[in-house]
Amino acid sequence: MVHQDDSFIREVNEELRSDQMRLIWKRFGRVLIGAAVLVVLGTIGKVSYDYWRDSEASAAGDSFLAALTLAREGKNEEALAALAALEKDSFGSYPVLARMRSASLLATSDAQGAVNAFTAIAKDGSVPQALRDAARLRAAYLLVDTGTYEQVSAEAEQLATPQSALRHSAREVLGLSAYKHEDYARAKEWFDAILADTESPRNVSNRAQMLLDLIAASGKLSS
């Protein structure tokens, strides 16, 4: 993994020297977003696991694990059907966990449908706040590719406050959206906020610094 990271950084540095901003985004934009999404998925996974662990053990737990197994095996249609059944017929934490996993699976084939699903979870007052926030952030990451900055901001900016546990990822997704829409001044503000926060995870800080370097190299934003 270290060698792969070094190779990726060397390629970015070569592009920096050639000052081809649009080419850099075309080549690396999805990689950067993908890496950021993995962090969010990890957060969702941890929150979901903690919530599931504290729930009453039941047959629904076996059904949920079976659905996850189907998803890992690439049997998405079967997994979605099993998760839909859990949403309707199970109890405790499993319906909301099934909704979260269904939305994640849907993202592979229907980005807007997944955004709608995550947004619905985020607005559902019966869902624990941690999962609502995670759903809101996941919707924001999907909207980086398909939506406007304003749409991303509507989902993520409320999570970018100093008190929010998800502020690091929220600032990153806002910066990525601004960057994609060539609003480099706004992107710089969000990436600077990441670097100024001493609690920002190293991987998030590294990506923020990389994109700040790209902005500086473009010459489109005065220092």
Side-chain angles (χ1 to χ4, degrees):
M1 180 63 71
V2 173
H3 293 307
Q4 291 178 347
D5 290 342
D6 290 343
S7 176
F8 175 68
I9 292 172
R10 282 198 299 272
E11 287 189 52
V12 172
N13 286 336
E14 290 174 4
E15 297 293 351
L16 272 174
R17 286 192 290 271
S18 64
D19 193 26
Q20 297 177 358
M21 287 287 294
R22 292 185 181 278
L23 180 58
I24 291 170
W25 180 259
K26 182 178 179 180
R27 292 184 61 188
F28 299 115
R30 289 186 179 277
V31 175
L32 291 166
I33 294 172
V37 167
L38 288 177
V39 175
V40 177
L41 290 177
T43 301
I44 292 174
K46 183 180 186 306
V47 172
S48 299
Y49 174 75
D50 290 343
Y51 187 46
W52 170 73
R53 182 189 58 195
D54 294 335
S55 300
E56 180 181 358
S58 67
D62 293 335
S63 298
F64 183 67
L65 292 176
L68 295 185
T69 299
L70 289 170
R72 284 195 300 270
E73 293 173 349
K75 301 174 181 178
N76 286 3
E77 291 187 7
E78 294 176 44
L80 286 169
L83 291 167
L86 279 169
E87 288 181 42
K88 294 178 180 179
D89 301 329
S90 62
F91 59 92
S93 64
Y94 295 106
V96 66
L97 294 182
R99 288 175 69 187
M100 290 288 286
R101 191 67 185 110
S102 292
S104 294
L105 285 177
L106 191 60
T108 63
S109 58
D110 181 3
Q112 187 55 54
V115 168
N116 294 341
F118 281 119
T119 299
I121 294 170
K123 293 180 178 179
D124 188 340
S126 68
V127 174
Q129 189 62 51
L131 289 178
R132 292 173 64 190
D133 290 345
R136 189 180 300 281
L137 190 58
R138 185 70 174 94
Y141 272 105
L142 289 169
L143 285 167
V144 169
D145 262 342
T146 62
T148 64
Y149 175 83
E150 288 70 26
Q151 289 175 310
V152 173
S153 178
E155 298 294 343
E157 193 153 351
Q158 62 189 283
L159 302 176
T161 62
Q163 298 78 24
S164 173
L166 296 177
R167 64 188 182 278
H168 314 296
S169 293
R171 291 166 179 165
E172 181 175 44
V173 73
L174 288 161
L176 286 171
S177 181
Y179 185 96
K180 182 181 179 183
H181 290 92
E182 300 184 359
D183 186 348
Y184 301 122
R186 180 175 280 166
K188 184 176 184 300
E189 290 178 4
W190 287 118
F191 295 139
D192 281 339
I194 291 172
L195 295 182
D197 190 334
T198 58
E199 295 182 358
S200 292
R202 180 177 297 179
N203 56 346
V204 177
S205 295
N206 288 344
R207 289 194 296 271
Q209 185 61 64
M210 184 181 299
L211 284 161
L212 284 170
D213 290 342
L214 296 180
I215 291 171
S218 72
K220 295 180 180 180
L221 184 65
S222 59
S223 58

